Amino acid sequence: MMFLVSWRAGCRTGFPQIGNYHIRSLPSRPALKISEVQSTMRIKITPSSRTAECSLCRHTEFSQVADRDRKSNELKTVVCKKCGLVSHECIPSNQELLEYYQEDYRSEYNGEATPSAYRVLREWDRGQALVKQLGSYLAESSDVLEVGSGIGCTVKSFELAGHRSTGIEPGRGFCEYSRNVLDADVSEAILADLPAEERYDMVMLVHVLEHLNDPMSSFEHVHSLLRPGGLFYVEVPNCGAPHAAPPKMFHYAHIFNYASWTLSHLGQSTGFDVKEVISSESNKNLQILFQKSNTRNDSRSFDMNGYEKSCASLTRYTNLTYHLRWNYVTTRMATMVHHLCGRIRAERRLEKLIKSFPEKSDIDSGIRRAA
Ligand SMILES: [Zn+2]
């Protein structure tokens, strides 16, 4: 079953019409003709009819960069002609997103309502990598929150590293897995459910921000959750690098597509300083560590060349030249080998990993001693 976001009145009336969105279930589209497929192989910049404000800079002029998503379903994607933010032409409402993520997103996106052992092990490696990357910025026994914690591996990894680590996750299946199998401190909730209290030393959004329909409000809410000087780690697909071939670049679930200039702009205009851009420019993932500041300043963060840079990034490769890159070929081969090896005795290895976790009471007493 495929869920599509549709609307009655279209976008020309702007954001007040967003309440008219609804999610409808449609039969699969018929296969595209070859000529249609070829037409999607290179990103083309064309005029857009969108008149609603840009969610980042409030500008009202856009160019259209795509009319299809990566499954060849209709999806108009635009780029703001001032700041370069790339987004859906029409932004889905909160209610639509809530229904989508609570019941259907995980199974559609990954083919798994409950994660396989192989997938858990992969996520575990990512959680461990984040502890390595970010642990040195944290004092012992810090209060860490992951928003959209998925399976819960990152939450558990930070807990085992000696922090008071919690997560919120709207997907019921993964939330239950986090609690029942990993014994991670994860609640079924979304960011807006958390009261505005300065109680965290670090908040993480790992491949979550691109799914949120109001990034400014989300950043402002995270700001309200952090203690003075608190850290905010954001990781998203890097729209400024070749993270996908042109026909596969856009996805219904990814409402906004960020590059370093638009993500920095978002942080600095909502009260954060860029502490470190962790990822390299060519990395398919963009990783930025922000720090809570007491000032917000649009002018210092605004990149005058944002639009040109976004257009250049989107049109850098055709479908063919994307796949012929040496870096793509080597990375793809390494990933395939890693995936093949990763599936070997995955259940057994996961069972062993979970058995190695110390008792919760031992971790808590360790944190109390450190504090
Ligand atoms: Zn803009």
Side-chain angles (χ1 to χ4, degrees):
M1 185 179 290
M2 176 70 66
F3 284 92
L4 299 178
V5 176
S6 66
W7 58 95
R8 297 186 194 113
C11 284
R12 298 190 65 84
T13 48
F15 286 152
Q17 292 293 329
I18 282 173
N20 283 337
Y21 282 92
H22 63 284
I23 291 182
R24 61 192 166 94
S25 175
L26 293 178
S28 300
R29 281 176 54 83
L32 288 173
K33 293 175 186 170
I34 290 175
S35 59
E36 286 181 285
V37 174
Q38 285 173 337
S39 73
T40 64
M41 286 188 173
R42 179 187 279 279
I43 299 282
K44 289 179 182 162
I45 311 293
T46 58
S48 166
S49 61
R50 176 174 171 174
T51 56
E53 289 181 339
C54 169
S55 301
L56 184 52
C57 73
R58 306 300 174 206
H59 193 62
T60 54
E61 289 180 276
F62 302 85
S63 293
Q64 183 174 310
V65 294
D67 60 2
R68 301 274 166 185
D69 76 351
R70 64 191 188 192
K71 292 182 177 176
S72 297
N73 294 308
E74 284 182 21
L75 176 71
K76 287 186 179 175
T77 301
V78 297
V79 55
C80 169
K81 292 181 84 168
K82 187 176 179 188
C83 70
L85 180 64
V86 179
S87 70
H88 290 2
E89 186 178 60
C90 296
I91 311 296
S93 70
N94 287 339
Q95 185 56 37
E96 289 165 343
L97 293 176
L98 191 64
E99 291 169 9
Y100 179 63
Y101 285 109
Q102 276 190 337
E103 300 298 338
D104 301 290
Y105 165 69
R106 293 291 179 192
S107 56
E108 183 194 325
Y109 200 66
N110 302 312
E112 299 168 345
T114 303
S116 66
Y118 165 66
R119 182 167 170 74
V120 177
L121 289 170
R122 273 179 57 201
E123 294 298 319
W124 182 257
D125 289 344
R126 287 177 187 165
Q128 292 289 299
L130 278 178
V131 168
K132 265 190 185 171
Q133 281 186 312
L134 302 173
S136 60
Y137 294 100
L138 295 170
E140 282 184 32
S141 309
S142 290
D143 288 294
V144 175
L145 168 73
E146 184 179 21
V147 176
S149 52
I151 297 168
C153 289
T154 301
V155 173
K156 190 69 184 180
S157 293
F158 275 88
E159 177 194 306
L160 295 181
H163 301 292
R164 282 183 288 267
S165 181
T166 54
I168 54 170
E169 163 60 39
R172 203 160 295 156
F174 280 14
C175 195
E176 285 170 0
Y177 185 91
S178 303
R179 289 194 299 243
N180 300 338
V181 181
L182 298 182
D183 196 21
D185 189 355
V186 173
S187 310
E188 188 178 328
I190 60 171
L191 179 60
D193 294 335
L194 300 178
E197 296 168 359
E198 295 183 341
R199 50 182 293 210
Y200 297 104
D201 300 300
M202 183 171 75
V203 173
M204 295 180 286
L205 284 179
V206 182
H207 290 272
V208 166
L209 178 65
E210 65 271 26
H211 300 263
L212 304 181
N213 65 352
D214 188 349
M216 292 284 267
S217 295
S218 301
F219 266 50
E220 283 165 354
H221 196 59
V222 169
H223 193 275
S224 74
L225 300 174
L226 284 168
R227 295 186 174 121
L231 300 171
F232 181 25
Y233 173 76
V234 182
E235 182 174 327
V236 290
N238 187 3
C239 191
H243 70 287
K248 302 284 184 188
M249 200 168 283
F250 303 111
H251 176 25
Y252 273 106
H254 293 184
I255 302 166
F256 294 93
N257 300 270
Y258 297 94
S260 59
W261 46 95
T262 47
L263 186 54
S264 299
H265 184 172
L266 175 59
Q268 290 173 335
S269 57
T270 49
F272 293 96
D273 292 324
V274 175
K275 187 173 177 68
E276 187 178 346
V277 179
I278 296 172
S279 54
S280 67
E281 270 186 32
S282 59
N283 195 317
K284 68 176 186 174
N285 291 320
L286 173 61
Q287 302 168 287
I288 296 187
L289 184 63
F290 295 99
Q291 185 160 34
K292 181 174 179 174
S293 108
N294 292 323
T295 58
R296 61 171 67 196
N297 189 339
D298 275 324
S299 58
R300 69 177 169 169
S301 58
F302 180 67
D303 189 330
M304 296 294 286
N305 299 314
Y307 173 67
E308 287 74 17
K309 285 162 76 172
S310 292
C311 290
S313 297
L314 292 170
T315 55
R316 186 176 302 151
Y317 295 101
T318 65
N319 197 25
L320 182 64
T321 56
Y322 175 85
H323 288 104
L324 288 179
R325 289 175 305 125
W326 177 247
N327 189 35
Y328 172 82
V329 174
T330 53
T331 305
R332 191 76 183 164
M333 285 176 69
T335 305
M336 283 170 66
V337 171
H338 188 74
H339 284 194
L340 279 172
C341 296
R343 290 180 195 280
I344 298 170
R345 303 181 72 199
E347 282 83 6
R348 188 70 187 273
R349 287 188 290 121
L350 178 60
E351 196 180 325
K352 204 172 162 187
L353 172 69
I354 291 171
K355 276 185 183 165
S356 74
F357 293 163
E359 289 295 322
K360 200 98 172 170
S361 54
D362 294 341
I363 299 171
D364 291 344
S365 60
I367 289 173
R368 276 197 298 276
R369 275 199 303 275

